[in-house]
Amino acid sequence: MIDKNKKILITGASGFIGSNLTELLIDKGFKLKILVHYNSFNSLGNLKFIDSEKLKKIEIIRGDINDYNFIEEITKDINIIFHLAALIAIPYSYNAPSSYFKTNIIGTNNILEAAKKNKVKKIIHTSTSEVYGDAQYSRINENHPICAQSPYSASKIGADKVAESYFNSFNLPVTTARPFNCYGPRQSLRSIIPSIISQALFNKGRIKVGNTYPKRDFTYVEDTCNALISICGKKNNEGKTYNIGSGKSISIDELIKTIGNVLNIKIKLTKDRKRKRIASSEVDNLLCDNKFIKKDIKWIPKISLNEGIKLTSKWIINQKEYKTDKFIL
Ligand SMILES: NC(=O)c1ccc[n+]([C@@H]2O[C@H](COP(=O)([O-])OP(=O)(O)OC[C@H]3O[C@@H](n4cnc5c(N)ncnc54)[C@H](O)[C@@H]3O)[C@@H](O)[C@H]2O)c1
């Protein structure tokens, strides 16, 4: 259990997972400071979906994790950090790898260095299942070799190694959480489940996707956030890594059929070359071995894929900007 007197910083709070984690922690009554990436529109990103009365209870800071002095300053009164800020879109990482290396590796280094300097008591560093590359055996446990199949993956491997080195070299209390694919309300239309749902709902069931053979293990965002909170609340797990996943994988083909069935929409599928990942960069199968997290912190996912698709669709149907007949690269 996390002590309610501790002050928590969330980076990446305006993002998909970060905004859901922020709302969950506000609802649980925690003291929060959240970091929103500075932008000239004064946009709060996904935080706009949270009731303004709730947001009044927390401190919102705008800035950039690439600025060490700024990060050192804002972590002075912080006891716990959930570090989620990152560049995450794999396709863009092919075009602009160095910005991924900068934000994801150096940005993470800034967070950890500031945490060390300010004696932060616990840091949850968010990794990704993409660090494993293609499964060399399945299910993928935390000891599976890592392989950088995309610049995004390389940048997250780099970040994980920085975290590992800060634990080993400086005894920094950092724990790594490695979510497999996460989905739910507020996720970008670039991601597979919102993309399929919005095309099915708003484009008369006509769906364009890239490769449909890869298999992924999907977890509903509330389950992922609860896993992050439980990992943080567990004592003596510094230096450890936890996979977060449902333990079930599904191909994109099967996923499209499932979404069609849940929404009761007849799907007409076309493949789009522009959306395909380069063959050697595509990761065919990511299936989570979640034995460690189940045993160590007693976490189990509560929302089934069908239920999660219903909840996500119910949210998407009310969002103006998701009403598109196009899909986003
Ligand atoms: N969504 C998934 O399925 C998934 C799966 C595994 C791991 N993850 C990891 O979870 C974390 C959150 O992912 P998400 O899906 O919520 O992504 P997201 O893109 O919705 O959120 C990332 C946030 O980081 C912020 N950010 C980017 N650069 C920044 C900078 N320089 N300074 C400050 N903030 C910056 C962005 O503004 C954004 O709000 C990431 O670390 C990602 O690698 C996500």
Side-chain angles (χ1 to χ4, degrees):
M1 289 277 282
I2 309 175
D3 179 348
K4 290 253 165 80
N5 293 313
K6 304 280 182 223
K7 187 150 185 190
I8 299 174
L9 172 72
I10 302 175
T11 72
S14 61
F16 159 53
I17 302 178
S19 67
N20 280 285
L21 181 64
T22 297
E23 188 162 17
L24 215 55
L25 289 173
I26 297 175
D27 290 345
K28 287 178 190 284
F30 286 98
K31 286 188 207 158
L32 293 188
K33 183 190 272 191
I34 61 168
L35 175 62
V36 172
H37 197 185
Y38 170 80
N39 60 81
S40 56
F41 312 108
N42 216 18
S43 159
L44 284 176
N46 282 307
L47 296 167
K48 73 179 175 213
F49 299 114
I50 300 179
D51 192 293
S52 57
E53 287 306 309
K54 283 191 189 180
L55 290 181
K56 280 186 193 152
K57 296 181 187 165
I58 63 173
E59 192 181 344
I60 302 177
I61 305 278
R62 289 175 166 82
D64 193 321
I65 60 165
N66 289 314
D67 185 325
Y68 175 73
N69 291 333
F70 163 74
I71 296 297
E72 189 188 307
E73 197 52 41
I74 66 164
T75 47
K76 279 190 172 143
D77 59 345
I78 292 297
N79 309 108
I80 291 168
I81 301 176
F82 285 96
H83 174 45
L84 289 99
L87 296 178
I88 71 145
I90 294 170
Y92 293 136
S93 82
Y94 299 129
N95 301 338
S98 58
S99 55
Y100 280 65
F101 299 143
K102 187 171 173 218
T103 295
N104 295 356
I105 304 176
I106 306 298
T108 298
N109 187 193
N110 289 339
I111 298 289
L112 299 177
E113 183 59 31
K116 173 169 153 268
K117 166 100 193 202
N118 288 321
K119 300 192 172 34
V120 173
K121 295 281 175 292
K122 191 141 191 179
I123 305 105
I124 304 302
H125 159 65
T126 316
S127 173
T128 167
S129 57
E130 286 284 333
V131 301
Y132 294 124
D134 259 333
Q136 296 180 22
Y137 55 83
S138 198
R139 306 163 177 260
I140 297 176
N141 60 15
E142 291 81 358
N143 298 321
H144 186 283
I146 51 180
C147 172
Q149 270 168 249
S150 63
Y152 168 64
S153 164
S155 71
K156 296 295 282 190
I157 291 171
D160 292 5
K161 287 292 171 190
V162 175
E164 188 181 313
S165 75
Y166 267 66
F167 173 74
N168 287 328
S169 310
F170 310 119
N171 211 14
L172 188 79
V174 53
T175 304
T176 296
R178 202 165 266 165
F180 282 57
N181 286 65
C182 178
Y183 72 100
R186 304 178 192 164
Q187 189 171 29
S188 155
L189 265 180
R190 283 194 302 270
S191 303
I192 190 75
I193 290 187
S195 166
I196 297 170
I197 292 176
S198 63
Q199 291 179 76
L201 286 173
F202 307 125
N203 196 23
K204 301 188 184 100
R206 286 195 299 270
I207 289 178
K208 275 189 188 174
V209 284
N211 294 327
T212 55
Y213 63 85
K215 289 186 159 185
R216 292 290 182 269
D217 179 322
F218 291 99
T219 305
Y220 189 68
V221 63
E222 197 179 318
D223 281 327
T224 304
C225 291
N226 279 323
L228 294 173
I229 295 168
S230 302
I231 290 169
C232 183
K234 168 88 183 169
K235 288 205 169 77
N236 303 321
N237 63 358
E238 293 76 11
K240 291 186 180 166
T241 296
Y242 293 87
N243 279 348
I244 304 173
S246 71
K248 292 176 191 149
S249 73
I250 181 169
S251 70
I252 305 305
D253 249 334
E254 292 167 292
L255 176 67
I256 292 167
K257 284 185 200 130
T258 306
I259 291 176
N261 290 338
V262 171
L263 300 181
N264 200 16
I265 291 176
K266 198 161 178 264
I267 302 290
K268 291 169 259 352
L269 182 64
T270 46
K271 305 264 176 86
D272 193 297
R273 273 196 313 128
K274 278 192 273 173
R275 255 226 144 177
K276 289 185 180 173
R277 275 164 74 164
I278 305 153
S280 56
S281 180
E282 182 63 90
V283 175
D284 293 349
N285 189 12
L286 287 173
L287 172 58
C288 178
D289 181 334
N290 57 13
K291 275 198 212 82
F292 179 52
I293 189 167
K294 276 183 167 166
K295 182 163 177 267
D296 204 48
I297 63 165
K298 317 280 177 265
W299 172 85
I300 42 157
K302 294 199 172 116
I303 312 279
S304 70
L305 184 60
N306 279 22
E307 185 59 23
I309 290 170
K310 273 187 210 154
L311 292 167
T312 310
S313 309
K314 204 172 148 196
W315 185 82
I316 285 179
I317 209 158
N318 291 315
Q319 304 309 318
K320 259 205 313 274
E321 61 261 55
Y322 282 67
K323 285 192 178 137
T324 173
D325 57 356
K326 298 181 183 66
F327 74 100
I328 299 175
L329 274 176

